């Protein structure tokens, strides 16, 4: 018998049953597993130390290899970067937040000059929680407003950026911390190693750099950060002299047509 | 529930355990919409509950508990997905305004053996979560709006879009 789709979805959804009961106490099982794991690790470490102390000639070499092996097992090194920060990994992600940001209408369209990078952070002060993906906050000077409220100075954020392992760790589950081997690193190592986050939806979109000019499509975030954020794919290089933007797919300078961007 | 939250905040684990049955179906629907594996869903919800209990003192407004814990869960699911496989992105045909209207009151026949998650499996991840939250009637529209950071118009248009996809899928069998 045919039914209205709303009715079908409501009925089917209501018939979903949760077959198990969650309890905080179940954590005991995890603690027990952790205890066994710690004990095993202790035995392995004790034996390793004993072994290393007895192999006098190759002590230094063995130690070095051991460190390298630990790193190889626990890190997915996609990219090495010798710039200022020790970026040990680049993560390309396509988050829910991205897809939402991609579909929303810009409230502010403005040409700006980037003055400074305020910070990159994954901490959300409003909810006092850490996100799995960071944002980068910029200060900019407005050159020309095409849509929305006129403003001279602007602080906005963009999805992605570089954060330290120590900051990233705060957003992870205990199992993820272990899987990534972060529990084997010292606090100092975590504070001096960085991960770069690039949204897969921003590929082909110019990277925002201090001193350069851009046309930005922005939406106000009143839920979390109380500032404007760029809409995904809403960043264009801007030529102030000729009032043109660079088409991100064809890489050609074009006139600004608000209906087409 | 707010009384239980208050007690749990002061370290009363039993009170938190009393909250869990009240929210576990909500959490399950969201997590199961994002992750297609019962065992993984179970682990993630368990982790979320532990994390929420440990961080309960950071919850400023007790009335927002369900939004707060659902956000933690969504973050945990995203972290899990990021570290396992990339979620498949399904492209769909662009649908004009006419299509939205013509599918608004669509009538279909879907076999009883097909469960809810099977029906929504081909939708995008955010659509699956939205449809689960909306049709379960476990979350208010305001809560959905707050958790998914969508205004009501966007919620409506996303639901319509998702329904079109479902309708197209099940119309083919006729």
């Amino acid at each position: 018998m045919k039914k209205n789709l709303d009715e079908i979805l409501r009925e089917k959804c209501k018939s979903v049953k949760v077959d198990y009961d969650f309890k905080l106490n179940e954590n005991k099982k995890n603690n027990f597993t952790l205890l066994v794991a710690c004990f095993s690790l202790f035995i392995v470490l004790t034996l390793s130390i004993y072994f290393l102390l007895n192999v006098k000639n190759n002590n230094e070499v063995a130690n070095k290899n051991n460190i390298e092996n630990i790193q190889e097992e626990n890190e997915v090194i996609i990219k090495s970067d010798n710039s200022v920060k020790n970026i040990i990994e680049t993560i390309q992600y396509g988050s829910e937040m991205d897809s939402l940001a991609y579909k929303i209408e810009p409230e502010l369209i403005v040409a700006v000059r980037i003055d400074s990078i305020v910070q990159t952070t994954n901490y959300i002060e409003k909810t006092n929680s850490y996100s799995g993906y960071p944002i980068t906050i910029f200060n900019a000077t407005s050159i020309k407003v095409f849509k929305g409220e006129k403003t001279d100075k602007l602080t906005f954020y963009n999805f992605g950026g570089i954060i330290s392992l120590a900051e990233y760790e705060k957003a992870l589950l205990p199992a993820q911390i272990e899987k990534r081997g972060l529990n084997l690193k010292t606090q100092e190592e975590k504070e001096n190693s960085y991960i770069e986050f690039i949204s897969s939806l921003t590929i082909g979109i110019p990277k925002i750099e201090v001193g350069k000019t851009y046309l930005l499509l922005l939406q106000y975030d009143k839920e979390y950060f109380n500032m404007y954020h760029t809409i995904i794919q809403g960043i264009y290089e801007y030529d102030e002299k000729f009032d043109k933007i660079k088409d991100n797919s064809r890489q050609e300078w074009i006139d600004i047509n608000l209906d087409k961007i | 529930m707010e009384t239980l939250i208050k007690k749990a905040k002061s370290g009363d684990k039993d009170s938190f355990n009393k909250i869990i049955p009240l929210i576990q179906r909500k959490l399950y629907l969201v997590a199961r919409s994002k992750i297609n594996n019962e065992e993984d869903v179970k682990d993630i919800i368990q982790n979320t509950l532990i994390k929420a209990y440990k961080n309960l003192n950071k919850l400023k407004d007790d009335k927002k508990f369900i939004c707060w814990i659902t956000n933690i869960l969504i973050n945990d699911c995203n972290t899990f997905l990021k570290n396992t496989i990339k979620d498949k992105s399904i492209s769909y045909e662009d649908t004009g305004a006419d299509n939205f209207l013509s599918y608004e009151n669509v009538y279909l026949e879907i076999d009883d053996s097909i469960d809810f998650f099977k029906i929504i499996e081909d939708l995008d991840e955010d659509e699956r979560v939205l449809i689960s939250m909306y049709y379960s009637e476990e979350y208010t529209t305001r809560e959905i709006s707050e958790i998914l950071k969508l205004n009501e118009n966007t919620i409506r248009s996303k639901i319509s879009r998702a329904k079109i996809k479902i309708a197209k899928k099940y119309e083919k069998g006729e």
Side-chain angles (χ1 to χ4, degrees), chain A residues 1-30 91-97 99-100 103-104 124-133 168 170-176 179-180 197 200 221 223-224, chain B residues 13 16-17 20 24-25 28-29 34 38 41-42 45-47 49-51 53 58 60 68 71 74-76 78-80 82-84 86 92 104-112 114-117 119 124-126 131-132 135-137 146-150 158 163 166-167 174:
Chain A
M1 193 183 82
K2 284 189 175 183
K3 281 184 185 171
N4 182 289
L5 182 53
D6 286 317
E7 202 183 330
I8 295 171
L9 288 169
R10 208 163 280 125
E11 280 176 7
K12 293 272 185 188
C13 192
K14 290 219 162 158
S15 68
V16 171
K17 297 266 185 303
V18 187
D19 292 334
Y20 33 84
D21 288 321
F22 296 97
K23 269 188 181 169
L24 278 184
N25 294 344
E26 284 184 17
N27 192 28
K28 280 178 183 171
K29 194 164 57 176
N30 294 340
I91 293 176
Q92 245 181 45
Y93 66 97
S95 77
E96 193 170 331
M97 193 185 261
S99 58
L100 298 180
K103 288 162 191 165
I104 50 182
I124 305 171
E125 195 178 353
K126 249 189 172 177
T127 54
N128 198 6
S129 62
Y130 289 87
S131 161
Y133 313 106
Y168 176 53
K170 291 172 187 168
L172 296 182
L173 307 174
Q176 304 294 347
K179 189 178 171 186
R180 290 185 158 266
F197 288 82
S200 55
D221 170 11
E223 297 291 333
Y224 292 97
Chain B
K13 199 184 266 185
F16 195 83
N17 272 328
I20 294 173
Q24 68 176 21
R25 190 166 185 278
Y28 175 79
L29 282 164
K34 288 175 82 72
E38 288 284 339
V41 166
K42 192 177 166 184
I45 292 175
Q46 188 65 51
N47 259 319
L49 291 169
I50 293 165
K51 199 191 265 186
Y53 178 67
K58 293 177 183 170
K60 287 169 191 165
W68 178 75
N71 269 321
I74 287 175
N75 264 337
D76 286 351
N78 288 340
T79 305
F80 174 84
K82 185 180 69 193
N83 289 320
T84 48
K86 282 213 176 264
Y92 51 89
E104 197 54 46
N105 286 308
V106 66
Y107 281 76
L108 293 169
E109 190 170 351
I110 299 179
D111 197 283
D112 285 346
I114 299 172
D115 73 12
F116 177 71
F117 294 113
I119 293 174
D124 290 345
E125 190 183 308
D126 55 332
I131 290 280
S132 298
Y135 284 101
S136 68
E137 294 174 355
E146 195 159 319
I147 292 162
L148 299 180
K149 297 175 277 296
L150 296 170
K158 275 172 146 315
K163 276 165 61 185
I166 295 168
E174 293 181 352

Side-chain angles (χ1 to χ4, degrees), chain A residues 16 32 40 51 70 99 110 117 123-124 137 139-140 148 168 173 186 188 217 224 241:
Chain A
V16 171
F32 178 72
S40 308
F51 176 73
I70 288 171
S99 58
V110 59
I117 295 173
Y123 177 62
I124 305 171
I137 303 170
N139 278 332
Y168 176 53
L173 307 174
T186 63
E188 195 183 351
L217 277 62
Y224 292 97
K241 190 175 173 188

